[in-house]
Amino acid sequence: MELAMNQEKKIHPQKYMMWMAITSILMMFVGLSSAFIVKRSQANWITLEIPQIFYYSTGVILVSSLTIAMAKRSFIRRLISRYAVWLGATAVLGVLFVVMQTIGFVELWNSGITVSRNASFSFLYVIVGLHALHVLGGVAGLLLMSFKSFSRKNIVYSPLGINLMSTYWHFVDILWIYLLVFMIIEG
Amino acid sequence: MTNEEALQQHSQVTQGAAIAVHADHHHKQSFITKYIFSTDHKMISRQFLVTGIIWAVIGGFFSVVFRMQLGFPDQTFPWLETIFGKWAEGGRISQDLYYTLVTMHGTILVFFVLTAGLSGTFSNFLIPLQIGARDMAAPFVNMLSYWFFFAASIVMFSSLFVSTGGSSVGWTFYPPLSALGEAAEGAKAGMDLWLISIFLFIVSQLLGGLNYVATIINMRTKGMFMTRLPLTIWSFMFTAILGILTFPVLLSAVVLLMFDRHLGTSFFLSDIVINGKILPNEGGSPVLFQHLFWFLGHPEVYIVALPAMGITSEVVSTNSRKPIFGYMAMVGSFFAITTLSMIVWAHHMFVSGMNPFLGSVFTLFTLLIAVPSAIKVFNWLTTMWRGNIIFTPAMLFSIGFVSLFISGGLTGIWLGNATIDIHIHDTYFNIAHFHLVMGVASMFGMFSGIYHWFPKMFGRFMNKTLGYIHFWITIICAYLIFWPMHYQGIAGMPRRYFDYSNWESFKMFEGLNTFISIAAIVAFIAQFLFIFNFFYSIYKGRKVTEENKNPWKSTTLEWSTPALPGHGNWPGEIPEVHRWPYDYSKGDRDFIPQTEPIGADEGEH
Ligand code: HEM
Ligand SMILES: [Cu+2]
């Protein structure tokens, strides 16, 4: 018992919080996925067309997982200016990802596939949209952290922040892969 | 601060290494950081409590108003027009207002009072104090949790004042009604505000829940193994886990509903004709919404019940001067309830036309969940059995909780059988069931907690005599109100009707309805005894002194703090824990605090 507890103490409580937050976000998408499956088996379902650009944006978000891993490495080696650059790069890729998703939506919309066209596309808009919001939330966090890294007054030594951020960022990345694969298979 | 003061404070701070560690808590706090944007878990807890009490008065008042309609359908009350204006012309509430009141009553009491008010108050207050931590894992996030709740409250309250009225679609907000503004006045702007409010509320619950679990798992003091946690803490942990897993699913339903309302999608809508107009929506499924809703909705009833169970366990053991019976069985049944409650949701949908085979699967799971509930009841009763019971108001309310939980739980077994439920679903039988087992029972758990921990929260005592009167009137009225509803329900009287006088078959209940309404009014008035007692005692109650700082002779850690603990809870080091929290009447000792090492001639329980 004693031993078990000491081991537990090594994980920072806020890391637990991040994992639980991730579980909770995941549950929302599980809710949406199961709604998707239920609806799919009903009448009037039109097969989803996934905009081409979503495949490119997948590449972008995958690369951003690499850049944040680089940021973490630089932080641990205390290469702070490099760390800030990698963080910034991740943020830029995140924004690029969201922009590409939006372009995908605009193209769909202009080709007559609006949000209310069919339940399948309504789901596409909702799911991709909610995911993009989570990416934007992450971008806000990244920007905050890179600004903080320029501050001379409060130098951050603890790797907690970057650890939490990279966990979250990998999560939104993997979540996107899951959603994409899910929509390809089930849609 | 003058220089001398600063110096003096500084010297106090540096008196001992242990205290010095804590120096940062001695900075001066302004009114704003102390009482409003406070990150101290104890202040946040009090904020949840007071907000919850205000909501309880509003939600309770609404039920009095709609009970007056049911109890006195042909009378008029001019003061209603004074309050509600055009919604109660001539002193009789309109049908729209009736439905708004019913909806708001349910929403407010289930979500704002018994979720935020109950677990918000006691999780915040007790988790750090009982596990031996200075504060929550993330105090700032914790503060945000309250302020999201506050924002949700403001939005919900303002929704009552829009010109088309507050939401009137029921606390379960089933589409199509909730999706179509054309369908009812209360499905217009009031409904949008309702959804926004619930959205904020869910965020608040998630932020709070993350904190509770992380704090419990990670910030226990030395020696506080999980198996030495008071049952309150276990209950708060499972409550938070349930919330983290199920509220997001409700969130997805809220988002989809918003799309249906405003962007013309058809997630939940199909083939609808309103006022002769055919809507274009096709292929949607209102039953899908019910699944998403009840995936939260059923766990929600346990989110409400578990904290009350935790509080009851603690209060019953302390005031019976006996160890809790079956500690591990209690923990196990919390776990079983948490798990099972996520796979029984469709028992609320037996009448939705589901496949009878599926219905029988859900019947099976539903009946299974009665087992851990029964284990808990058994354990409370056995704890009290031959105990040296001290009837404090808190203890009475805990006994009341057990009584109500049994009365309401038994009817759950009826409702859990699809074959019976199909006949009594959506009748007053259902109302009787859930009010006894959840509504009133959990209110009793909350009262019990307030009477029990008030001295720790505010450093003063509440008045006992008022507490006793409050208890007896409330429990008698609770049974007088809800017991007869079983008979009405079995006779087929449907719930959510504005007026029954058109039905020959329900004429026989006219007198009974009046009787129930009078009991409801008396119960409501009696709550002011509590409210007066509460607020009066905060300022004028008998003070808790250092000698008397453990008034109930409890073993748990919170009573080892100073009479009125400051920021950081313990002025010195956090005490170490050496034993479980239920060492009552052990050997020749009345109770042994958790901080006391196990003696040489003593076995651990
Ligand atoms: C012995 C265990 C229980 C069983 C078998 C059970 C079963 C049921 C069933 C089958 C229904 C649906 C009735 C209908 O809509 O026709 C129901 C309704 C309800 N139950 Fe229970 N229940 C149990 C315990 C509880 C507990 C512990 C709570 C709360 C603390 C609770 C709260 C509710 C609520 C709020 C509703 C009504 C929701 C609504 O329609 O608005 N039940 N129960
Ligand atoms: Cu249920």
Side-chain angles (χ1 to χ4, degrees):
Chain A
M1 229 15 183
E2 191 96 50
L3 189 75
M5 209 176 72
N6 286 341
Q7 278 172 347
E8 272 171 16
K9 289 246 151 115
K10 287 207 186 105
I11 301 179
H12 194 280
Q14 297 191 358
K15 278 196 193 162
Y16 273 110
M17 286 180 69
M18 180 53 81
W19 281 108
M20 281 183 297
I22 286 175
T23 317
S24 146
I25 297 171
L26 205 59
M27 279 308 289
M28 183 173 76
F29 285 97
V30 168
L32 291 168
S33 315
S34 40
F36 188 103
I37 293 172
V38 170
K39 282 290 318 223
R40 204 208 112 79
S41 59
Q42 288 172 349
N44 295 324
W45 180 269
I46 299 181
T47 310
L48 265 184
E49 284 163 46
I50 307 225
Q52 196 68 33
I53 194 165
F54 283 5
Y55 297 106
Y56 300 123
S57 65
T58 309
V60 169
I61 200 164
L62 279 174
V63 173
S64 76
S65 259
L66 285 180
T67 54
I68 195 149
M70 292 308 288
K72 193 168 149 184
R73 254 174 73 155
S74 315
F75 185 91
I76 291 168
R77 297 191 186 155
R78 309 242 26 101
L79 303 170
I80 295 306
S81 50
R82 248 198 243 174
Y83 157 74
V85 171
W86 285 121
L87 273 188
T90 314
V92 169
L93 289 174
V95 172
L96 182 62
F97 173 82
V98 175
V99 169
M100 290 169 87
Q101 307 293 79
T102 317
I103 294 174
F105 278 162
V106 172
E107 277 173 4
L108 268 185
W109 197 285
N110 289 342
S111 69
I113 303 179
T114 60
V115 65
S116 56
R117 166 76 194 286
N118 182 272
S120 58
F121 292 103
S122 310
F123 269 113
L124 184 75
Y125 281 96
V126 171
I127 291 178
V128 177
L130 281 175
H131 175 263
L133 282 181
H134 285 86
V135 174
L136 282 181
V139 168
L142 285 170
L143 291 179
L144 203 73
M145 283 175 60
S146 35
F147 284 128
K148 267 195 188 161
S149 70
F150 289 119
S151 153
R152 293 268 164 270
K153 255 195 287 172
N154 300 313
I155 299 175
V156 183
Y157 291 104
S158 154
L160 179 66
I162 177 70
N163 278 339
L164 293 179
M165 191 66 230
S166 76
T167 308
Y168 179 78
W169 197 262
H170 293 317
F171 162 70
V172 288
D173 181 352
I174 297 168
L175 179 63
W176 171 246
I177 310 274
Y178 157 73
L179 292 173
L180 189 67
V181 171
F182 174 80
M183 287 188 295
I184 292 171
I185 295 176
E186 287 292 323
Chain B
M1 200 191 296
T2 66
N3 263 339
E4 286 88 345
E5 272 170 13
L7 269 177
Q8 201 194 351
Q9 211 172 38
H10 185 72
S11 67
Q12 277 170 0
V13 164
T14 46
Q15 256 165 18
I19 303 179
V21 174
H22 214 55
D24 56 338
H25 284 294
H26 283 261
H27 59 80
K28 194 165 176 232
Q29 289 186 317
S30 66
F31 179 83
I32 303 244
T33 55
K34 183 155 181 212
Y35 292 104
I36 301 184
F37 293 108
S38 170
T39 54
D40 180 1
H41 70 101
K42 297 185 291 303
M43 185 53 71
I44 295 173
S45 148
R46 288 180 280 234
Q47 290 171 331
F48 269 110
L49 180 54
V50 171
T51 318
I53 290 178
I54 294 170
W55 273 122
V57 173
I58 298 173
F61 174 68
F62 286 178
S63 71
V64 166
V65 176
F66 66 67
R67 260 329 304 189
M68 285 175 57
Q69 160 61 27
L70 295 175
F72 309 93
D74 39 15
Q75 284 178 40
T76 57
F77 303 92
W79 58 269
L80 284 175
E81 190 171 353
T82 324
I83 299 180
F84 294 109
K86 66 168 180 175
W87 300 96
E89 245 159 41
R92 193 173 181 222
I93 59 172
S94 68
Q95 304 186 8
D96 280 320
L97 179 62
Y98 179 86
Y99 286 114
T100 294
L101 293 175
V102 175
T103 303
M104 287 298 160
H105 166 77
T107 309
I108 290 170
L109 282 146
V110 172
F111 290 121
F112 287 12
V113 179
L114 289 175
T115 306
L118 177 57
S119 92
T121 302
F122 290 102
S123 300
N124 267 305
F125 192 73
L126 291 178
I127 289 174
L129 283 173
Q130 287 196 330
I131 68 170
R134 301 240 180 251
D135 207 317
M136 288 286 178
F140 181 75
V141 177
N142 205 28
M143 178 186 90
L144 282 184
S145 155
Y146 175 75
W147 286 103
F148 268 99
F149 170 48
F150 186 81
S153 295
I154 296 291
V155 176
M156 190 61 81
F157 192 69
S158 53
S159 83
L160 295 170
F161 296 94
V162 298
S163 66
T164 46
S167 164
S168 67
V169 304
W171 81 280
T172 54
F173 65 114
Y174 282 7
L177 182 54
S178 62
L180 300 170
E182 306 94 302
E185 289 289 279
K188 294 191 166 78
M191 188 62 210
D192 285 317
L193 291 172
W194 192 96
L195 287 170
I196 294 169
S197 170
I198 289 300
F199 177 87
L200 296 168
F201 180 81
I202 294 173
V203 174
S204 148
Q205 287 307 300
L206 294 175
L207 296 177
L210 300 178
N211 248 312
Y212 306 153
V213 181
T215 310
I216 294 171
I217 292 194
N218 217 267
M219 301 190 39
R220 300 184 311 269
T221 182
K222 197 156 176 247
M224 182 61 91
F225 310 138
M226 291 300 274
T227 47
R228 285 181 181 170
L229 286 176
L231 288 170
T232 35
I233 303 298
W234 278 108
S235 75
F236 300 146
M237 188 174 94
F238 283 116
T239 305
I241 292 176
L242 263 183
I244 290 170
L245 293 177
T246 58
F247 268 117
V249 178
L250 182 68
L251 193 61
S252 70
V254 168
V255 171
L256 296 183
L257 191 60
M258 287 276 205
F259 269 72
D260 272 5
R261 287 175 64 77
H262 295 295
L263 295 171
T265 56
S266 314
F267 292 111
F268 306 129
L269 301 174
S270 191
D271 308 314
I272 294 168
V273 182
I274 282 193
N275 304 330
K277 198 179 99 198
I278 301 172
L279 299 186
N281 306 77
E282 248 183 278
S285 160
V287 176
L288 172 61
F289 176 88
Q290 298 187 16
H291 280 294
L292 292 175
F293 177 81
W294 285 111
F295 186 79
L296 160 93
H298 184 82
E300 168 64 20
V301 307
Y302 282 97
I303 288 174
V304 164
L306 291 180
M309 293 175 170
I311 290 171
T312 297
S313 308
E314 191 64 22
V315 171
V316 161
S317 173
T318 303
N319 289 297
S320 307
R321 314 310 295 162
K322 273 182 65 188
I324 192 84
F325 184 89
Y327 178 88
M328 282 319 280
M330 286 298 219
V331 176
S333 53
F334 277 140
F335 176 78
I337 287 176
T338 305
T339 326
L340 283 172
S341 75
M342 275 182 284
I343 50 171
V344 299
W345 75 89
H347 66 209
H348 296 274
M349 302 162 55
F350 286 142
V351 296
S352 68
M354 71 165 59
N355 178 331
F357 174 72
L358 199 60
S360 65
V361 173
F362 277 102
T363 294
L364 176 70
F365 286 141
T366 302
L367 296 182
L368 275 183
I369 206 170
V371 175
S373 308
I375 292 178
K376 303 202 90 73
V377 169
F378 177 80
N379 287 354
W380 291 316
L381 295 179
T382 344
T383 306
M384 283 187 265
W385 178 252
R386 301 188 141 196
N388 185 5
I389 298 182
I390 301 166
F391 292 99
T392 60
M395 181 64 173
L396 286 176
F397 274 102
S398 275
I399 297 175
F401 169 85
V402 177
S403 159
L404 292 159
F405 191 75
I406 298 174
S407 309
L410 288 175
T411 51
I413 298 172
W414 294 42
L415 292 168
N417 284 285
T419 41
I420 303 178
D421 181 71
I422 286 170
H423 300 281
I424 49 181
H425 170 82
D426 259 336
T427 69
Y428 267 76
F429 192 88
N430 190 9
I431 305 280
H433 159 69
F434 74 77
H435 276 91
L436 288 178
V437 75
M438 171 178 86
V440 195
S442 299
M443 280 309 286
F444 270 50
M446 187 163 167
F447 283 132
S448 174
I450 295 173
Y451 281 106
H452 192 78
W453 279 287
F454 190 90
K456 189 86 274 169
M457 278 187 171
F458 297 100
R460 291 175 187 267
F461 287 96
M462 286 177 82
N463 181 295
K464 261 194 179 176
T465 315
L466 278 181
Y468 291 135
I469 303 174
H470 172 220
F471 169 76
W472 284 111
I473 299 183
T474 311
I475 185 122
I476 291 171
C477 286
Y479 275 112
L480 289 182
I481 295 168
F482 295 113
W483 198 268
M485 289 187 186
H486 293 106
Y487 303 106
Q488 298 183 321
I490 292 176
M493 199 168 114
R495 68 191 273 204
R496 293 181 174 166
Y497 276 32
F498 172 70
D499 188 348
Y500 295 89
S501 42
N502 288 339
W503 279 271
E504 204 51 50
S505 46
F506 304 132
K507 285 252 164 73
M508 60 177 173
F509 288 132
E510 237 168 62
L512 190 56
N513 273 335
T514 313
F515 174 81
I516 292 177
S517 294
I518 292 172
I521 294 166
V522 174
F524 180 69
I525 293 171
Q527 301 318 304
F528 286 92
L529 290 176
F530 166 78
I531 300 209
F532 169 75
N533 196 352
F534 182 87
F535 287 104
Y536 183 83
S537 305
I538 290 182
Y539 298 104
K540 294 277 159 66
R542 184 162 58 86
K543 273 199 172 155
V544 180
T545 58
E546 278 304 314
E547 299 77 60
N548 190 21
K549 69 176 188 182
N550 184 2
W552 322 122
K553 303 198 170 37
S554 280
T555 57
T556 37
L557 278 187
E558 75 272 28
W559 305 103
S560 71
T561 58
L564 194 58
H567 209 155
N569 297 339
W570 285 269
E573 261 185 86
I574 301 181
E576 193 182 333
V577 165
H578 298 280
R579 57 176 76 234
W580 80 325
Y582 296 107
D583 271 341
Y584 290 105
S585 306
K586 191 175 190 193
D588 50 2
R589 299 273 301 276
D590 178 33
F591 73 106
I592 313 178
Q594 281 192 281
T595 48
E596 203 175 300
I598 305 265
D601 49 352
E602 184 192 357
E604 205 172 343
H605 81 273

